[in-house]
Amino acid sequence: MPGWYACPPLTVPRDLAAFAAHLDNRPATDARPLGGGERAELLAWIRFVDRRPLDAEAPVVLADALPPALFALWTVPRPVPTAELTVHFTDALDVAPAEGWALVRIRTEHAGSGWAIDDSTIWSTSGRLLALACQARAVRHGFRAVHQD
C-alpha cells in the first residue's frame, strides 16, 4: 500500500460532504466513492488542510471523514445518514498528538433492510492504531444487501 505521497488527491463534492473542504484526502487503493466497485470499503490517507496535529478530537472527525463505504459499490449517491457513531480511542495519543497524515479505512460489515453498519479504523503514519469506530446508518432509496467476508 503506497504512502500518502504516492496517492493522487481526491476531491469530494461539497454537496456530498461540506466538511471535506477542510481535509486533504488521498485514496490508498483503487476504490473510489461512486466507483461501482466490488467491495464496500474505502481506504485513504487523510490530514487536516490546516495541518493541525492528530489530537484527541481528530479521530472523531476522521472516523466520519470518508463517504459511507457503500458508496464504493454504487455509481449514484443515495442518502445514508448516520443514526449512531461510536469512537473507541487507543492509548496512542496519551503521550502526545500524532503529526500529519492518518490512514483511515471504512468498511460496511453488514447492510440490509434499510440499515448499514460501517466500521472505521484510524492509524498514524507510524502504524499506531489511534481509534476504532462503529457507525449505524439508515440507507434510503433501495440498495443491494452486502455481507462482507
Side-chain angles (χ1 to χ4, degrees):
M1 170 181 359
W4 65 268
Y5 47 84
C7 302
L10 175 70
T11 303
V12 178
R14 288 184 70 85
D15 59 334
L16 289 180
F19 191 77
H22 299 279
L23 301 171
D24 188 351
N25 184 330
R26 297 179 185 226
T29 66
D30 291 335
R32 298 288 187 275
L34 306 178
E38 299 199 10
R39 292 186 54 84
E41 181 175 289
L42 296 167
L43 183 70
W45 289 100
I46 302 175
R47 70 175 172 187
F48 291 89
V49 171
D50 65 5
R51 310 281 173 94
R52 74 182 67 190
L54 300 175
D55 57 13
E57 292 87 15
V60 176
V61 173
L62 296 176
D64 197 30
L66 290 172
L70 287 172
F71 275 41
L73 300 174
W74 298 338
T75 57
V76 175
R78 297 177 179 103
V80 188
T82 298
E84 179 181 44
L85 172 63
T86 303
V87 179
H88 300 277
F89 300 90
T90 70
D91 62 347
L93 298 176
D94 287 351
V95 176
E99 294 296 326
W101 295 88
L103 184 62
V104 180
R105 183 193 76 184
I106 187 167
R107 178 179 177 189
T108 298
E109 296 298 333
H110 178 80
S113 300
W115 291 95
I117 304 298
D118 281 350
D119 285 337
S120 297
T121 310
I122 302 141
W123 295 275
S124 69
T125 55
S126 66
R128 296 225 33 213
L129 179 65
L130 301 178
L132 299 167
C134 185
Q135 198 163 14
R137 299 177 184 271
V139 182
R140 306 290 184 229
H141 305 299
F143 68 99
R144 65 181 187 208
V146 174
H147 309 280
Q148 295 284 30
D149 296 328

